[in-house]
Each structure stands twice: as C-alpha cells, then as structure tokens.
Amino acid sequence: TLDPKSVREKKTPKDRSISITQRKMEVEGSSKKMIATQEEMVENKVPIPYRDQCAHLLIPLNKCRQAEFYLPWKCEIERHSYEKCEYELVMERMLQMQKIREEEAKLKQAGKQGGSIPLIPKTANA
C-alpha cells in the first residue's frame, strides 16, 4: 500500500509548471525584468499585446479605471507610472536600434575602404 503522506507531497506536472511560470522572467536585451507572472496577467485579463515588462503597472491601473468608471481625471498616479514605464521601454529599444545602425555603418565603411575599386584610376607616371 501507498503511504498517504508520500502521495500528498508528490508534485504533479501542473504544480511544477506553475512554479516555473511564477518566477520573474528576464527579457533578452532589456534592463527591466518581468514582475507580473503569466497567471496574474491571465487572471486580470491583460490583452496579449500589453503583456510586457510594464504589465505589473497596468493591472492596478485597469482595476482603478473600472472602479472609477473610466473618468479621465481619476487614476492619474497609476496612469503616469504605467506610461513612464512604457516610455522607458521605447527609449531603451530606440537606443539599442541606434547602436545596431552605428555598428552596421562601421562595417559598411570598413568594407568600402578595404576592397573597393577607385573611380579615377591612377596613371603609371603619377
């Protein structure tokens, strides 16, 4: 027979998947970490396009908006903190893209200098 205590302590695959998704996730290339878990976002019905590193601020903002009947002058503190977080993410992405473009320009310049054919050929006596 099975010991009831050992059966209760055994974790099911569902329990393991919850503990994995409850950890804070890191997003590649970003300085901000995911604070809201997948379960929290599903539970609070956060739309998929909004499930980014600022979702933890969107959840209380949406709750406040519903409680205050979406009046625009209400929930200003929550809205400001969420919009600031989104702005910082956009600026971070812009800086990353600028670095990529600068690296590509350097590679392009190095390629032009090394093996390019001059437009005006040098004469033998020059």
Side-chain angles (χ1 to χ4, degrees):
T1 64
L2 291 171
D3 180 26
K5 187 177 182 184
S6 65
V7 172
R8 274 187 265 134
E9 291 177 354
K10 197 173 190 180
K11 286 191 173 186
T12 64
K14 184 180 177 185
D15 294 336
R16 276 186 246 123
S17 66
I18 289 172
S19 64
I20 290 169
T21 55
Q22 283 178 343
R23 283 187 264 152
K24 290 183 182 178
M25 297 176 283
E26 288 188 34
V27 178
E28 188 176 329
S30 179
S31 62
K32 292 183 179 274
K33 292 183 180 178
M34 284 293 295
I35 296 173
T37 64
Q38 200 67 26
E39 285 79 19
E40 289 173 335
M41 291 186 279
V42 169
E43 182 182 311
N44 291 292
K45 299 176 183 168
V46 175
I48 291 174
Y50 294 94
R51 293 182 187 185
D52 58 4
Q53 293 94 327
C54 300
H56 68 282
L57 298 170
L58 182 61
I59 293 168
L61 173 61
N62 284 341
K63 286 180 180 178
C64 178
R65 284 175 169 167
Q66 279 185 327
E68 300 294 339
F69 302 105
Y70 290 85
L71 293 172
W73 59 88
K74 302 283 184 169
C75 311
E76 287 181 345
I77 294 169
E78 293 88 347
R79 184 174 52 88
H80 178 73
S81 61
Y82 173 71
E83 288 177 352
K84 181 181 178 192
C85 181
E86 286 293 335
Y87 173 78
E88 289 169 353
L89 282 179
V90 169
M91 295 310 286
E92 188 176 330
R93 285 195 300 266
M94 286 176 57
L95 285 173
Q96 288 174 350
M97 194 63 209
Q98 183 180 0
K99 287 178 185 177
I100 291 169
R101 286 187 180 131
E102 287 172 358
E103 288 174 11
E104 288 175 351
K106 284 180 186 177
L107 290 173
K108 206 176 209 182
Q109 284 294 332
K112 281 185 180 180
Q113 291 174 355
S116 63
I117 300 171
L119 296 175
I120 303 172
K122 292 182 180 179
T123 59
N125 295 334

